[in-house]
Amino acid sequence: MSGFLQLFLQQLWQTVYAVLPVMVIFLVFQFGVIRRRVPNLKQVSVGLVYVLLGLALFLVGLEMALFPLGEAMVAQLTDPAFIQRGISQTSEAVVIHWYDYYWVYLFAAGIGFATTLAEPTLLGVAIKAEEISGGAISVWGLRITVALGVGLGVMLGSYRIVAGIPLHYFIILGCALLIVQTWLAPRSIAALAYDTGVVATSTVTVPMVVALGLGLAASVPGRNTLLDGFGLIALTCLFPIVTVLSYALLGKWCSQFNARGKSG
Amino acid sequence: MATTPYNLSHALLASSKSLIPIILVVAFFQLVVLQQPLPDLFQLLGGMLLVVIGLSLFVVGLEIGLFPLGENMAYAFARRGNLWWLLVFAFVLGFGATMAEPLLLAVADRAAAIAASAGAIADNHAARSRYALDLRLTVASAVGLALVIGLLRIIRGWPVYYLIIGGYLGVILLSLVAPPEVIGIAYDSGGMTISTVTVPLIAALGVGLASSIKGRNPMADGFGLIAFAALMPMIFVMIYGLIK
């Protein structure tokens, strides 16, 4: 129990430390420039305390439950001994192909999807989006679409590290997709779609994805941890945008199709 | 204003549902694929419980604290016609929050170590800490400037994709010419530098501003600040790597 308390206080202190400058800036501008009391000051203060406490508890919980287990799993899944298990040992020299890493790809997609759904900032932005879109965008619909994108991004990123394909091929491909989709998709969704990419890769997703990238880069022969270990984050930022725009595009086409069916 | 359906019990239920996929994925890979027992079930369940409580508190806090704070700031500046002050505020906020970010501190130190081992800078303490500080100043200025340009976009009504697509093209072009040891750091500095607390504030600032200016749609114009604030540091860090 004392170990837990220590961890909690440590996380709380780190959170407060990072937030303090932001709050000071707010106070200076509120009293120095706007010169007016904050509306509902009491409620806002309670909310801030909730945010700090909540974030600290959240991080302690992750440290206790998810991160050590996830890192141990990554280490085992990327271990060459585990990869070779599925290959027949009759041939003299065992050659590992990119497709022998299928469990890694499946894990990448699954963990990318699952951690995104637990991401606090994405939840916050999704609530805001539901509120101002008048319910046209639902909290769960948006989060699942984003999570699918993150899963896809982490899976492609893992494949890239195993196969040794340069990162910018994927980035350029993703950007080309993005430009075409932005051009076709409804105007109102684009801004939100861009934001979800960044928001999805945060407190829960980043540590897991970084562990996966570094683990793969260390275990696949010929990869450099410094150069290949990154990149996964860049892809996980890009692909949620692609899936959210795809979803919006699909909705637009469906409604056009229905409208045509009714008029014709 | 208080139309929020997110009271604490509602939030607790939603947070528990949000964690089901993680539990399923972890359990499947641990038990079926790796065929190993779950370690220390008590700690696992306790941790998950804390995650659920923490997430719920955070979300309720967002609804009653951070979102109103950011929106009221935008309203107050817009109502008094003080849009220049809003831009000053945005720069200071972006710069200050980024300089205070512990994650960026860690990334900058690692970047300095990489640059020293690559021979780009002298391998001593003074040169490394100088490099790390310069890098943090670069990223923080980039975030501050991105918020200023992003808010200016909302005020002027420029389409969001000009900035984002332009930013991505800039990132691609710079990736082709920037020194390879700086590219990984540049990509990392993008998504990671804006913390869990700052993101909702920035989102509320944009949405609040867009809904207080006539002719702007909070949905189409209010978002996009966060994405741009993540792109700009990538561009700045690669330029920094080029001229260093």
Side-chain angles (χ1 to χ4, degrees), chain B residues 29-30 45 131 156 168 207 231:
Chain B
F29 275 90
Q30 187 76 0
L45 291 177
Y131 184 91
R156 297 276 176 194
Y168 268 111
V207 170
L231 270 174

Side-chain angles (χ1 to χ4, degrees), chain A residues 112-199:
Chain A
F113 178 85
T115 51
T116 304
L117 285 180
E119 206 59 79
T121 31
L122 176 62
L123 185 54
V125 168
I127 291 171
K128 194 90 256 181
E130 185 179 80
E131 190 185 304
I132 63 172
S133 71
I137 293 166
S138 79
V139 171
W140 278 95
L142 182 66
R143 286 166 75 211
I144 289 175
T145 313
V146 171
L148 285 174
V150 172
L152 188 69
V154 184
M155 188 167 75
L156 280 176
S158 315
Y159 164 69
R160 179 198 80 81
I161 295 176
V162 171
I165 301 168
L167 176 65
H168 46 269
Y169 286 11
F170 283 89
I171 301 279
I172 290 172
L173 181 85
C175 281
L177 255 174
L178 215 72
I179 293 173
V180 175
Q181 284 186 313
T182 302
W183 185 45
L184 294 172
R187 285 277 178 274
S188 57
I189 194 82
L192 175 66
Y194 298 141
D195 273 359
T196 56
V198 184
V199 160

Side-chain angles (χ1 to χ4, degrees), chain A residues 37-54:
Chain A
R37 275 174 54 89
V38 185
N40 298 328
L41 186 60
K42 202 172 156 195
Q43 199 188 16
V44 168
S45 318
V46 172
L48 288 181
V49 174
Y50 274 18
V51 163
L52 293 176
L53 280 179

Side-chain angles (χ1 to χ4, degrees), chain B residues 144-182:
Chain B
L145 198 62
L147 290 186
V148 170
I149 297 175
L151 288 175
L152 210 56
R153 172 189 73 77
I154 298 177
I155 297 170
R156 297 276 176 194
W158 301 330
V160 62
Y161 48 85
Y162 283 10
L163 293 185
I164 304 292
I165 303 281
Y168 268 111
L169 289 179
V171 168
I172 292 179
L173 289 179
L174 281 167
S175 303
L176 299 176
V177 292
E181 74 269 7
V182 108

Side-chain angles (χ1 to χ4, degrees), chain A residues 29 33, chain B residues 77-78 80-92 148-149 151-152 155-156 209:
Chain A
F29 275 82
V33 181
Chain B
F77 278 121
R80 312 187 83 208
N82 263 339
L83 291 174
W84 287 111
W85 272 114
L86 177 66
L87 298 184
V88 173
F89 170 71
F91 185 85
V92 174
V148 170
I149 297 175
L151 288 175
L152 210 56
I155 297 170
R156 297 276 176 194
L209 182 65

Side-chain angles (χ1 to χ4, degrees), chain B residues 52-223:
Chain B
V52 168
I53 297 172
L55 191 57
S56 310
L57 278 176
F58 179 79
V59 168
V60 174
L62 276 190
E63 284 280 315
I64 64 173
L66 282 185
F67 280 153
L69 195 62
E71 279 171 9
N72 284 326
M73 206 70 177
Y75 293 150
F77 278 121
R79 202 181 305 125
R80 312 187 83 208
N82 263 339
L83 291 174
W84 287 111
W85 272 114
L86 177 66
L87 298 184
V88 173
F89 170 71
F91 185 85
V92 174
L93 179 70
F95 188 89
T98 311
M99 283 307 277
E101 178 58 43
L103 214 53
L104 179 62
L105 200 64
V107 169
D109 283 343
R110 205 176 57 200
I114 292 175
S117 68
I121 55 169
D123 196 0
N124 58 52
H125 182 73
R128 277 202 308 269
S129 56
R130 176 76 204 277
Y131 184 91
L133 182 66
D134 282 353
L135 197 65
R136 280 171 65 212
L137 288 171
T138 306
V139 175
S141 321
V143 173
L145 198 62
L147 290 186
V148 170
I149 297 175
L151 288 175
L152 210 56
R153 172 189 73 77
I154 298 177
I155 297 170
R156 297 276 176 194
W158 301 330
V160 62
Y161 48 85
Y162 283 10
L163 293 185
I164 304 292
I165 303 281
Y168 268 111
L169 289 179
V171 168
I172 292 179
L173 289 179
L174 281 167
S175 303
L176 299 176
V177 292
E181 74 269 7
V182 108
I183 291 178
I185 299 299
Y187 284 159
D188 265 11
S189 67
M192 290 189 189
T193 46
I194 319 173
S195 75
T196 322
V197 179
T198 321
V199 162
L201 276 176
I202 294 175
L205 211 57
V207 170
L209 182 65
S211 46
S212 62
I213 296 182
K214 259 205 190 106
R216 301 286 171 275
N217 175 344
M219 190 69 212
D221 301 308
F223 288 107

